[in-house]
Amino acid sequence: MRAINAGDFLYLLLAMRWTIMLSVIAFLGGGIVGVAIALMRVSQRRWLRWGAVGYIQIFQGTPLLLQLFLVFFGSDMLGMPLPPWFAASLGLSLNAGAFLGEIWRGSIQAVPRSQREAATALGLHYFTTMRKIIVPQAMRIATAPTVGFLVNLVKATSLAAIIGFIELTRAGQLINNATFHPFTIFSTVAVLYFLLCWPLTIASRKLEHRMAVAYNR
Amino acid sequence: MIRIPPWRCLTCRVSVIKTGKRRLDYTFHFVDVWTARDELLDGAWLTIRLSAVSMILSLLVAVVGAFGRTSGPKWVQRLVAAYVEFIRNTPFLVQVFVIFFGLPGIGIRLEANTGALIAMVLNGSAYTIEIVRAGIEAISHGQVEAAIALGLHRVQVFRKVVLPQALRAVFAPLGSQFILLMLNSSIVSVISADELTAAAQDIQSRTFRSFEVYIVTIGIYLVLSLSFSGVFALLNRAFFPRLEAR
């Protein structure tokens, strides 16, 4: 056992990079999955819609921790063990995809139906309609809830600590093992997470307010 | 070796995918999970109880908190708002660590399951306060004014007029919050509270059948969350029939 020093605090600050990195990777990965899920969810084909519903149900109806376990240990079983950072990124991306897919599905459906009908009447192809008419409008609606979801994603990356990826929470555990001042260390970790998440919460709230004002005019 | 009849063997061999040199060749052994089924069921039962108790306690905290947040003095409003913001912007895992490892440092020693319960209530009530508050703020101001005009005291107004309507409005989000709480409870396995995930980890460390154990456990969680959302939908329809249906 030793005392906590400035070096430990620096270590935590540096570990924040990995939390941020993991959040960014998971957001990009989740974004790709989410677009696919959202498009499947609003598709004309029933089997695509059902597939998306099943995917969302499974990922939103089970704990993220077990999803991470399954990716981490499951990859081992398949004979290609993934390093913790990759397993965490993959698991978080698949999970985020389900939530982002639902958010974006809602945004796509919030665009008035007549917009799509007009585009169809003008003879635009499905992808052109989506790209030029629906998605630009849906994106404005989706911004606030997407930023709000980012808060959840940053918090979710802490679970990567349990499968051994060294990010902020795991760094806190490691320092605690050496110094044993759990209250100080984990409170500091909590404050650091708060500093990451709170600006996002506020941004999301502001965006939401701006949207509400725009729609009430 | 124990001979298991083929129709009950719960073992299947997969050797299908061949990509280059790599070949998936794995025999699933669900037998080990089946043998430990009692442990999993006990874990699931504790998960349900833990979630239910913490949901009820958080709801109680939330009613008081939401009252303070909407109609308390300024400093109470600020305090509740700060609490809600802090809990909602930090990970549950870290909160569990602070409570379970941090509190003994200042002289409060907790048993694993108690620590888990306290963490879940502290976390859950922050979210529930926001839900109940939204319900309170959705009530039209005329209701409150009418109640005050009838000579009811401020607490009476809250208890008899505001709260019943607010709870009715937020029944559905409270149901989803319960399911989120239940899924989140898997995280308390890190302090070895013996709920479902901890039971799964226990079996895994004994049998090394990680994939089989975790896939079955995920299945149990899925069944739990689907059945609870079904139950809540039914309760919602039973308690609060639609106004137009009357």
Side-chain angles (χ1 to χ4, degrees):
Chain A
M1 240 207 300
R2 59 179 176 80
I4 311 178
N5 54 36
D8 293 328
F9 187 68
L10 189 69
Y11 183 64
L12 285 182
L13 276 183
L14 289 177
M16 264 172 101
R17 288 179 310 176
W18 297 107
T19 290
I20 296 172
M21 200 91 92
L22 191 57
S23 310
V24 170
I25 294 175
F27 181 63
L28 294 178
I32 295 168
V33 179
V35 166
I37 291 295
L39 290 180
M40 279 167 74
R41 198 72 173 68
V42 296
S43 160
Q44 304 284 331
R45 299 201 179 93
R46 182 179 294 172
W47 62 274
L48 277 177
R49 283 203 307 271
W50 284 25
V53 169
Y55 183 89
I56 292 167
Q57 196 60 258
I58 287 173
F59 279 92
Q60 294 194 353
T62 60
L64 172 60
L65 180 58
L66 278 161
Q67 294 164 18
L68 291 180
F69 280 169
L70 211 56
V71 173
F72 188 59
F73 293 111
S75 64
D76 209 18
M77 186 207 82
L78 294 177
M80 40 179 158
L82 301 174
W85 73 268
F86 193 82
S89 311
L90 186 64
L92 283 167
S93 299
L94 292 175
N95 182 271
F99 285 89
L100 289 172
E102 264 308 74
I103 293 174
W104 293 343
R105 192 254 326 170
S107 318
I108 290 174
Q109 286 180 341
V111 175
R113 212 187 153 80
S114 50
Q115 295 281 327
R116 185 186 300 208
E117 287 166 0
T120 314
L122 286 171
L124 294 184
H125 187 256
Y126 172 81
F127 283 107
T128 324
T129 312
M130 274 295 167
R131 202 160 55 87
K132 301 250 170 182
I133 314 281
I134 309 290
V135 170
Q137 299 184 63
M139 260 166 75
R140 281 199 55 195
I141 303 170
T143 318
T146 304
V147 174
F149 174 73
L150 273 178
V151 177
N152 281 340
L153 194 59
V154 173
K155 290 191 292 178
T157 59
S158 68
L159 295 189
I162 303 178
I163 58 171
F165 176 67
I166 302 181
E167 37 65 77
L168 187 46
T169 308
R170 185 88 188 111
Q173 280 182 301
L174 293 177
I175 295 179
N176 181 42
N177 290 344
T179 62
F180 208 71
H181 287 284
F183 194 76
T184 322
I185 292 163
F186 290 122
S187 305
T188 314
V189 169
V191 169
L192 291 177
Y193 272 108
F194 183 77
L195 292 179
L196 280 179
C197 294
W198 202 46
L200 290 172
T201 303
I202 292 184
S204 160
R205 216 172 276 158
K206 283 227 169 94
L207 285 165
E208 206 171 301
H209 183 69
R210 198 182 297 168
M211 280 302 288
V213 172
Y215 268 77
N216 286 336
R217 245 194 323 237
Chain B
M1 209 185 119
I2 311 161
R3 300 273 307 175
I4 305 161
W7 60 90
R8 284 199 51 200
C9 79
L10 300 154
T11 303
C12 53
R13 190 184 176 79
V14 185
S15 61
V16 244
I17 308 164
K18 245 180 167 176
T19 45
K21 280 184 182 168
R22 211 162 248 152
R23 175 155 173 239
L24 173 67
D25 191 354
Y26 186 84
T27 315
F28 288 98
H29 283 280
F30 283 100
V31 181
D32 294 327
V33 186
W34 180 250
T35 328
R37 62 192 180 278
D38 283 346
E39 238 174 293
L40 281 180
L41 290 180
D42 283 347
W45 177 229
L46 186 68
T47 290
I48 295 173
R49 276 185 302 162
L50 203 55
S51 320
V53 173
S54 57
M55 185 67 202
I56 292 167
L57 293 180
S58 345
L59 198 56
L60 292 178
V61 176
V63 168
V64 178
F67 177 68
R69 180 77 175 81
T70 50
S71 37
K74 204 91 209 157
W75 66 271
V76 174
Q77 290 191 15
R78 290 234 178 88
L79 193 70
V80 176
Y83 169 73
V84 169
E85 286 290 271
F86 194 76
I87 296 286
R88 280 165 54 111
N89 285 295
T90 50
F92 181 54
L93 179 60
V94 178
Q95 293 162 9
V96 170
F97 282 159
V98 171
I99 289 164
F100 189 67
F101 297 122
L103 289 188
I106 53 175
I108 307 167
R109 216 158 269 289
L110 296 170
E111 197 220 330
N113 286 345
T114 323
L117 184 68
I118 292 175
M120 283 172 72
V121 172
L122 283 180
N123 181 273
S125 53
Y127 291 86
T128 325
I129 285 175
E130 279 298 276
I131 295 174
V132 175
R133 181 174 76 108
I136 290 173
E137 284 175 355
I139 293 166
S140 74
H141 211 65
Q143 295 275 333
V144 179
E145 282 164 7
I148 292 170
L150 285 172
L152 294 187
H153 185 257
R154 216 157 55 104
V155 178
Q156 279 179 317
V157 175
F158 184 76
R159 206 162 54 91
K160 305 231 161 177
V161 179
V162 175
L163 194 59
Q165 295 189 62
L167 287 184
R168 176 187 190 144
V170 298
F171 188 84
L174 283 179
S176 339
Q177 178 56 35
F178 174 77
I179 290 168
L180 284 181
L181 200 69
M182 191 179 71
L183 298 182
N184 248 340
S185 76
S186 71
I187 294 174
V188 300
S189 62
V190 296
I191 56 170
S192 57
D194 30 35
E195 41 68 72
L196 183 49
T197 305
Q201 281 173 320
D202 222 45
I203 299 167
Q204 192 271 135
S205 62
R206 222 174 37 226
T207 63
F208 297 105
R209 292 288 164 196
S210 48
F211 189 79
E212 289 89 333
V213 175
Y214 290 134
I215 200 95
V216 169
T217 312
I218 276 207
I220 297 177
Y221 273 110
L222 190 61
V223 169
L224 286 181
S225 60
L226 287 179
S227 12
F228 274 111
S229 70
V231 167
F232 286 128
L234 284 179
L235 284 180
N236 198 8
R237 214 177 300 164
F239 287 162
F240 310 119
R242 293 250 171 96
L243 287 174
E244 58 265 36
R246 285 197 206 151

